[in-house]
Amino acid sequence: MSNMSLSSVSDASGCSMIAFLHTGAAKFPQNLLSRSRQAVSPLFPAGVLKGFSSIVSRKLASHGFGASMAAMSSFPPQRYHYFLVLDFEATCDKPQIHPQEIIEFPILKLNGRTMEIESTFHMYVQPVVHPQLTPFCTELTGIIQGMVDGQPSLQQVLERVDEWMAKEGLLDPSVKSIFVTCGDWDLKVMLPGQCQYLGLPVADYFKQWINLKKAYSFAMGSWPKNGLLDMNKGLNLQHIGRPHSGIDDCKNIANIMKTLAHRGFIFKQTSKPF
């Protein structure tokens, strides 16, 4: 056996190891490799096993696996291909103005396999009922008047969202995606309320979502009263950017989701059907 080449090594079923490398290695889970080594170690010299392991690693890399495969093995697969992280900012004041209007519309496309951000949609929106932002609104959100003046209307932004969804392959019926928000306000109250006021339809993909607060409470056993701040604190994460910036809040939501996924949490829809 000591002079046996790797090409001549066969398993108990008579199948060539090289054939396995060419046909099955890309599908062979990494967490089984160590157990495979233990099972065959009494049969083959260490040098053969080392060479076999090296070839398997090279074959995995040649198939586009590697770091991504290691990442996949660290947490269970999710039910969705993509998570669409969304967090509106809207006109506001004390006392509250009516109707409120969306002024920042950010979406992050989060890969459900790697939990990494793949694409970003981000636009500011021109309010029409109350076109002048209040000092309270600017102080809270960091959005100044010049950032919304001359920007597209909500109707135009929704059309751009649909174009982006199509470009990203998210309208394909075989692709499972779902929106994720910090609370139910964005898609249960804000968007449908403003669309109703303006006489605009609400796309079906906005009618189901995951409330991150509920998901966090399921995973951690406590309700995050202060939203993202409490969730970051509970997971020992640094807060990204400034609170109440829509795009920064989306980045925090994505970071929290990634952390919970790595801990083994499986995200499920929390909204009730419309």
Side-chain angles (χ1 to χ4, degrees):
M1 289 290 287
S2 60
N3 295 323
M4 184 178 290
S5 66
L6 184 61
S7 61
S8 63
V9 175
S10 296
D11 63 12
S13 65
C15 296
S16 166
M17 288 291 190
I18 292 299
F20 161 76
L21 288 173
H22 283 284
T23 60
K27 298 179 180 179
F28 194 74
Q30 276 193 334
N31 62 357
L32 295 182
L33 289 178
S34 61
R35 278 192 267 172
S36 300
R37 279 192 219 102
Q38 292 172 6
V40 300
S41 59
L43 302 176
F44 306 120
V48 173
L49 288 177
K50 184 176 180 180
F52 172 73
S53 177
S54 176
I55 293 174
V56 170
S57 297
R58 289 199 300 272
K59 291 300 293 182
L60 288 169
S62 73
H63 282 79
F65 290 78
S68 63
M69 189 163 185
M72 282 191 288
S73 66
S74 65
F75 59 89
Q78 296 291 330
R79 297 183 170 193
Y80 296 92
H81 297 114
Y82 296 101
F83 297 104
L84 305 177
V85 179
L86 176 149
D87 190 273
F88 296 139
E89 297 305 323
T91 54
C92 53
D93 202 0
K94 282 192 173 182
Q96 189 60 273
I97 57 176
H98 296 285
Q100 283 189 276
E101 298 171 86
I102 295 168
I103 54 175
E104 186 180 4
F105 204 127
I107 307 172
L108 299 181
K109 179 189 176 188
L110 198 64
N111 187 304
R113 179 174 56 84
T114 64
M115 301 305 286
E116 298 292 342
I117 298 168
E118 284 195 354
S119 181
T120 301
F121 177 93
H122 186 213
M123 293 188 72
Y124 291 99
V125 189
Q126 170 77 61
V128 294
V129 181
H130 300 288
Q132 193 71 28
L133 301 183
T134 65
F136 174 84
C137 183
T138 294
E139 182 179 354
L140 180 70
T141 65
I143 299 172
I144 61 173
Q145 192 66 40
M147 295 166 73
V148 297
D149 283 347
Q151 295 301 309
S153 66
L154 179 64
Q155 179 176 359
Q156 292 169 322
V157 171
L158 289 173
E159 291 170 357
R160 305 273 184 89
V161 169
D162 203 67
E163 292 169 1
W164 178 79
M165 295 275 287
K167 180 176 69 72
E168 295 293 329
L170 297 166
L171 301 184
D172 184 335
S174 66
V175 175
K176 293 184 67 178
S177 64
I178 190 168
F179 279 90
V180 183
T181 58
C182 185
D184 291 322
W185 175 83
D186 300 82
L187 293 178
K188 187 176 183 179
V189 177
M190 187 62 239
L191 182 63
Q194 188 177 359
C195 284
Q196 183 179 24
Y197 183 88
L198 296 173
L200 302 174
V202 178
D204 286 342
Y205 46 71
F206 286 126
K207 296 180 180 180
Q208 49 275 321
W209 64 89
I210 295 169
N211 177 345
L212 184 63
K213 292 180 182 178
K214 291 182 180 178
Y216 177 90
S217 69
F218 297 152
M220 302 296 289
S222 62
W223 183 261
K225 294 180 181 179
N226 294 313
L228 293 175
L229 296 177
D230 279 358
M231 288 186 272
N232 277 328
K233 184 177 179 181
L235 295 170
N236 295 315
L237 299 174
Q238 289 291 324
H239 192 86
I240 300 170
R242 64 166 289 158
H244 302 295
S245 158
I247 191 65
D248 287 348
D249 284 352
C250 284
K251 292 174 183 177
N252 281 285
I253 292 171
N255 200 29
I256 291 165
M257 291 185 69
K258 182 178 179 180
T259 302
L260 290 176
H262 275 276
R263 293 187 178 201
F265 185 74
I266 306 295
F267 290 92
K268 303 174 185 177
Q269 177 178 332
T270 62
S271 65
K272 296 180 180 179
F274 273 46

